């Protein structure tokens, strides 16, 4: 008498466990056909293909931009134009697992992202005198690069940089520290978390046309959500105190720009950063949330321009 109910319960549990993985497996793969619509070009690097794009004059000083956890290189559209107006030659690229770049498996720790950045700079013949700009998770990646290779960096610009405090809470924070079920939880919950966040931002201004729709479209591609989880467990699980202290010792000029109303990496993180590097120049954009590179592009560019004038 107990047999059928037990079987049905077991089947239901099996379906629940399998469902997020089945959904992930049915998402679109990043194929050569899909990449035909990509702007820019591709570099075949040691860990896979990396999508990149150059903006601005070929003889301008080089600025390299590193994006964050979920929004690929299109996030730089408005800022890149402003930087080229300042005379920069700007390089943007998609981190692995995002945009048009490959989706290699495995941990997405600092070594993983440093390898991609180093490989790309070598492939593109970029040597030194770099203005390195990092946004959110990209701020952690950029800071590690500057700490390890200070001789290559002219200045470091950080926009709401990760590494001073956790960037997720609740179930996703648990998932980042639970290797057995964390991937399952992230596959199950993160698409909803991202979509809800985008709905809250749908009416904000943007220098990147259609950025919310493009962000949500990342969920259509296989490998994107697993990459988010790997980054939460990897590069975003570490604080950056040692790296920021090394940047200060390397005498690298640093500008950190924060959104006054950022709920992802809150303004109080600026105080933490200043205890690690008391030479950092701090700027706050009133009314800005975490999307400040595209929602408050003009304000960010004004702060960058002022910083450039003080560090040339």
């Amino acid at each position: 008498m107990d047999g059928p109910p037990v079987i049905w319960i077991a089947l239901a549990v099996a379906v629940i466990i399998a469902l997020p993985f089945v959904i992930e497996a049915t998402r679109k793969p990043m194929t050569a056909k899909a990449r035909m619509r990509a702007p820019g070009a591709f570099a075949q690097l040691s860990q896979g293909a990396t999508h990149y794009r150059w903006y601005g004059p070929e003889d301008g000083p080089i600025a390299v931009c590193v994006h964050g956890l979920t929004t690929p290189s299109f996030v730089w559209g408005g800022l890149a134009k402003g930087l080229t107006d300042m005379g920069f030659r700007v390089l943007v690229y998609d981190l692995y697992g995002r945009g048009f770049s490959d989706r290699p498996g495995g941990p997405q720790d600092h070594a993983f992202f440093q390898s991609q950045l180093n490989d790309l700079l070598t492939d593109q013949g970029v040597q030194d005198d770099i203005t390195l700009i990092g946004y959110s998770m990209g701020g952690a990646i950029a800071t590690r690069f500057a700490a390890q290779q200070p001789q290559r960096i002219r200045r470091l610009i950080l926009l709401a940089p990760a590494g001073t405090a956790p960037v997720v809470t609740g179930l996703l924070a648990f998932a980042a520290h639970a290797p057995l079920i964390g991937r399952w939880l992230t596959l199950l919950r993160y698409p909803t978390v991202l979509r809800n966040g985008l709905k809250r931002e749908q009416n904000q201004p943007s220098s990147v046309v259609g950025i919310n729709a493009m962000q949500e479209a990342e969920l259509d591609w296989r490998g994107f959500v697993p990459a988010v989880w790997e980054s939460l467990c990897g590069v975003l699980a570490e604080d950056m105190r040692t790296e920021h202290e090394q940047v200060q010792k390397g005498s690298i000029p640093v500008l950190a720009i924060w959104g006054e109303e950022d709920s992802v990496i809150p303004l109080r993180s600026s105080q933490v950063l200043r205890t690690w590097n008391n030479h950092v120049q701090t700027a706050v954009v009133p009314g800005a949330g975490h999307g400040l590179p595209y929602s408050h592009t003009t304000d960010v560019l004004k702060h960058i321009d002022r910083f450039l004038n003080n560090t040339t």
Side-chain angles (χ1 to χ4, degrees), residues 9 15 94 100 153 189 239 259 293:
I9 290 172
V15 169
D94 291 335
F100 293 101
I153 304 302
R189 288 291 301 150
D239 77 50

Side-chain angles (χ1 to χ4, degrees), residues 67-89:
H67 69 76
L69 177 65
T70 62
T71 311
S73 59
F74 57 69
V75 74
W76 299 111
L79 272 177
K81 183 181 183 303
L83 291 168
T84 60
D85 289 343
M86 296 177 188
F88 281 102
R89 180 160 170 74

